[in-house]
Amino acid sequence: GGQSGGGGGGYGGGGGNGQPGGGEGGEHQSHSYVQPVVLANGDIRIETFSNPQHTWTSLNDPVMGGSSTSTVMVKDDAGVFDGEVVDVSFLSAPGFIKMETKGGRFPDVSKCKALKLNLMSSEPYDGFHATFGTHHLEGAPTYVKGYKAPFAAPVGKTSDVIIPFTEFSDSWDPKTGDIIVKC
């Protein structure tokens, strides 16, 4: 089925000693970070679509022979991700669509405990996942990279979704996105 959503941005939530799920100290220490924008509630802003700092694009399953489609645009201070997921019959698996940004510099959120997304979906869908980073788990297929966690998007009304970093894992099923081993 199709889905679309829009959101105001992403935030690293709260202070504390939480590390991103299974994060490798050496991996995050080798990057140069941008000066964080700390909001009044203590959250660190990662991105806002009222003034995006990164280029956002869509990636669809046609790279692996599927026929899902999606687009990304910024409209009314929101990142709008619109698309349709179509099953890939020869793989006996659902296709995929994703909204992503690559490269660029981000604030250091290693002291944060969660990722907060401000978003909505125009229709119910139970396959949303958030992914960050480029870490590759030894033994995983080469295209399985980053830490992933599922989330439920609010339908019809924009609100915050908080995903604790402890819910992210680098061990996830490439066909479904489901977590195989929790960190």
Side-chain angles (χ1 to χ4, degrees), residues 25-33:
E27 182 175 303
H28 88 269
Q29 291 174 354
S30 66
H31 294 98
S32 70
Y33 297 106

Side-chain angles (χ1 to χ4, degrees), residues 143-164:
Y143 52 86
V144 173
K145 294 181 181 174
Y147 298 95
K148 186 177 291 250
F151 68 89
V155 179
K157 182 179 178 189
T158 302
S159 64
D160 292 340
V161 172
I162 297 173
I163 311 167

Side-chain angles (χ1 to χ4, degrees), residues 44-128:
I44 297 173
R45 177 176 287 143
I46 297 171
E47 178 70 289
T48 178
F49 289 103
S50 62
N51 182 23
Q53 300 301 302
H54 302 92
T55 301
W56 292 87
T57 59
S58 62
L59 178 66
N60 309 314
D61 59 25
V63 299
M64 47 182 255
S67 56
S68 299
T69 59
S70 68
T71 59
V72 174
M73 68 178 167
V74 176
K75 181 179 179 184
D76 299 326
D77 293 339
V80 179
F81 178 50
D82 187 25
E84 181 178 14
V85 175
V86 179
D87 286 347
V88 182
S89 59
F90 71 89
L91 293 176
S92 299
F96 73 86
I97 60 176
K98 67 181 186 175
M99 175 179 174
E100 66 180 8
T101 187
K102 291 184 177 179
R105 295 175 58 211
F106 297 89
D108 181 357
V109 296
S110 63
K111 300 285 189 227
C112 297
K113 296 180 180 180
L115 177 67
K116 180 174 21 174
L117 304 173
N118 181 258
L119 53 83
M120 67 164 263
S121 178
S122 61
E123 58 187 79
Y125 178 71
D126 64 1
F128 287 113

Side-chain angles (χ1 to χ4, degrees), residues 21 98 128-132 144-150 163 165 167-174 176-179:
K98 67 181 186 175
F128 287 113
H129 292 85
T131 308
F132 70 89
V144 173
K145 294 181 181 174
Y147 298 95
K148 186 177 291 250
I163 311 167
F165 282 128
E167 295 297 313
F168 285 84
S169 175
D170 62 353
S171 178
W172 45 271
D173 186 306
T176 64
D178 293 341
I179 303 301

